[in-house]
Amino acid sequence: MVEPCDARCLTRTALASALQEARTRTLGLYAACAQALGPAMPVPQRDELNPPLWELGHIGWFADWWIARHPERHRGTAADPQAPRRPARQARRGLDADALYDSSQVPHARRWQLALPDLDHTLADLQASLDETLHWLDQADDTDPGLYFFRLALFHEDMHAEAAVHMAQTLGIGLGPWAPQAAAEPASGGRDGAELTLDATTVTLGWQGPGFAFDNELGPHTVHLPALRIDAAPVSWARFLPFVAAGGYHEPLWWTPAGWDWRCRTAARQPRFLRPHGDGWACQQQGQWVALQPWQPAVHLNAHEAQAWCRWAGRRLPTEAEWMAAACHRDWQGMTVWEWTASRFEPFPGFQPHPYRDYSAPWFDGRPVLKGASAATSPRLRHRAYRNFYTPERNDILAGFRSAAA
Ligand SMILES: [Fe+2]
């Protein structure tokens, strides 16, 4: 798949601006959280959350680890991830930043037990980290290897900004100007449930363009597809909610065993963040309950709910390859929600992990691929080659789906 060069090809000067822009968003999002939660930003210990002070410290630590402290930063994907590092700046205050913020070494549950620096120190560390990153960027070669870790740190910060949006939704925090912008109502000619018809085709999966790529995207290979009918746009609430009204959350017939297990464990009776409102539904947005717009893409659905709707509707989730083929269609609409697919997140042929070893390889565990992007996704991260890989029970994320003819 060849895409035009975009954020993945940002040059040195543009990268400097992008890194500062990403930081402005990070600080804006967490300022909103601090306003709602207080400067210590305590959050309950849950699988889908991280302590906000840990997230902030981790963003700075990640950039330091791969750039300021990394003697092989100039080698890009050929760099030795184990190259010895100098101590982090926090060592001057008697703190071991690696023991606090290395996501590969600090188990998730332990992050709530750490003696983390307070907000003022954390923000000062973040600023110092950005200053050093920009200093090293100024010295870097304007080449793909020379800029690799700067682009990685940029996209990493963008991903954590999106996670902050998920956290705010879970906690019911309003984000003010940093809230994701809702999709625009489709033009009056748009027909809900419209399908694309694709002839049998061959699609190439695997990135082969210039610039930055995540390791799990690499490995071009072709996949042959039979003829296909697939939704032109993600399934809307108008299409999803009749499943709820028909008692779909009470009928095990529609659910996979894992899905029904989730449904029973959580006692879910309807999509998360929805409640009945008059003759319709209200949804929670920015900590407020607002009337649901039926034309909007159904969102905050997990993979089990997407699959159950499909079985009820006589449809199925598309594979990753089908999604990619459809995304090239003239009338395709998307990138409004993450979309669950029927494909497992697996390495493409020839997979070689990049220096950040834990980006992909630990997660080849059977979880599904999501394609697309959500309203909370940074424009820099939006790319049809991007493969997301949340666990199937996650419904705090801005995920929905589109369906294919069974
Ligand atoms: Fe991270």
Side-chain angles (χ1 to χ4, degrees):
M1 162 176 181
V2 179
E3 293 259 352
C5 217
D6 48 22
R8 291 160 175 244
C9 297
L10 284 175
T11 58
R12 205 169 52 192
T13 309
L15 255 177
S17 299
L19 283 159
Q20 292 171 88
E21 187 183 290
R23 179 56 51 81
T24 299
R25 185 184 183 209
T26 299
L27 296 178
L29 286 165
Y30 281 96
C33 292
Q35 190 166 15
L37 300 170
M41 293 189 279
V43 300
Q45 185 172 332
R46 296 179 57 151
D47 286 348
E48 69 271 30
L49 297 179
N50 273 305
L53 286 177
W54 185 90
E55 289 259 343
L56 281 171
H58 165 76
I59 289 167
W61 172 88
F62 185 92
D64 291 341
W65 179 256
W66 291 112
I67 298 170
R69 299 172 60 199
H70 192 200
E72 299 196 9
R73 71 183 80 81
H74 57 285
R75 298 186 64 210
T77 57
D80 175 6
Q82 306 296 341
R85 298 333 197 250
R86 63 173 166 81
R89 72 176 57 78
Q90 290 89 341
R92 292 194 290 270
R93 309 202 306 271
L95 293 174
D96 180 353
D98 300 338
L100 293 177
Y101 299 127
D102 183 347
S103 50
S104 299
Q105 303 299 326
V106 184
H108 187 255
R110 198 192 299 160
R111 296 171 193 172
W112 274 262
Q113 270 85 57
L114 298 169
L116 296 167
D118 65 16
L119 182 58
D120 286 346
H121 281 97
T122 305
L123 293 176
D125 287 336
L126 259 184
Q127 182 60 49
S129 170
L130 180 60
D131 291 346
E132 277 203 66
T133 296
L134 294 173
H135 165 77
W136 289 112
L137 178 60
D138 199 44
Q139 323 272 312
D141 290 342
D142 219 338
T143 61
D144 283 342
L147 298 179
Y148 175 83
F149 286 108
F150 298 91
R151 292 168 176 162
L152 176 67
L154 171 66
F155 295 141
H156 177 259
E157 184 153 352
D158 282 339
M159 288 179 205
H160 278 279
E162 188 161 353
V165 174
H166 302 154
M167 178 186 72
Q169 178 69 20
T170 295
L171 300 176
I173 292 172
L175 292 172
W178 304 103
Q181 298 302 304
E185 188 165 5
S188 54
R191 186 170 63 84
D192 201 22
E195 281 191 322
L196 309 176
T197 301
L198 279 73
D199 294 332
T201 188
T202 298
V203 63
T204 301
L205 296 186
W207 173 256
Q208 54 186 3
F212 180 92
F214 292 99
D215 52 10
N216 68 61
E217 299 167 351
L218 294 170
H221 60 288
T222 54
V223 177
H224 302 288
L225 294 175
L228 168 69
R229 291 196 347 256
I230 184 170
D231 295 335
V235 169
S236 66
W237 283 122
R239 292 180 76 197
F240 189 87
L241 287 171
F243 167 68
V244 183
Y249 278 71
H250 303 273
E251 176 49 69
L253 187 63
W254 309 127
W255 300 76
T256 62
W260 188 245
D261 180 60
W262 169 82
R263 212 292 300 165
C264 293
R265 271 189 291 110
T266 59
R269 298 287 182 271
Q270 61 211 27
R272 190 174 178 185
F273 305 121
L274 251 59
R275 71 182 185 193
H277 176 70
D279 293 339
W281 293 87
C283 62
Q284 186 196 312
Q285 287 178 2
Q286 305 296 311
Q288 311 281 332
W289 287 96
V290 298
L292 188 72
Q293 301 299 317
W295 54 266
Q296 286 182 333
V299 70
H300 292 302
L301 299 173
N302 67 25
H304 302 308
E305 293 165 295
Q307 183 283 323
W309 181 90
C310 285
R311 190 177 290 178
W312 169 81
R315 308 280 292 178
R316 64 177 176 84
L317 289 175
T319 65
E320 180 178 9
E322 289 172 332
W323 191 98
M324 289 293 281
C328 296
H329 193 285
R330 180 172 51 101
D331 296 325
W332 181 86
Q333 302 159 51
M335 309 303 251
T336 50
V337 290
W338 290 106
E339 299 178 35
W340 297 103
T341 74
S343 296
R344 292 159 62 102
F345 180 57
E346 289 178 334
F348 286 157
F351 173 77
Q352 295 286 332
H354 284 178
Y356 176 23
R357 296 280 194 254
D358 287 349
Y359 179 70
S360 305
W363 319 117
F364 295 138
D365 58 3
R367 65 184 63 197
V369 172
L370 297 95
K371 297 293 291 182
S374 82
T377 309
S378 159
R380 289 180 289 269
L381 269 180
R382 291 166 169 264
H383 201 286
R384 281 183 293 181
Y386 191 77
R387 309 172 77 206
N388 217 333
F389 46 89
Y390 293 107
T391 48
E393 76 282 0
R394 290 284 297 268
N395 56 11
D396 57 315
I397 58 175
L398 290 154
F401 64 102
R402 75 181 67 215
S403 69

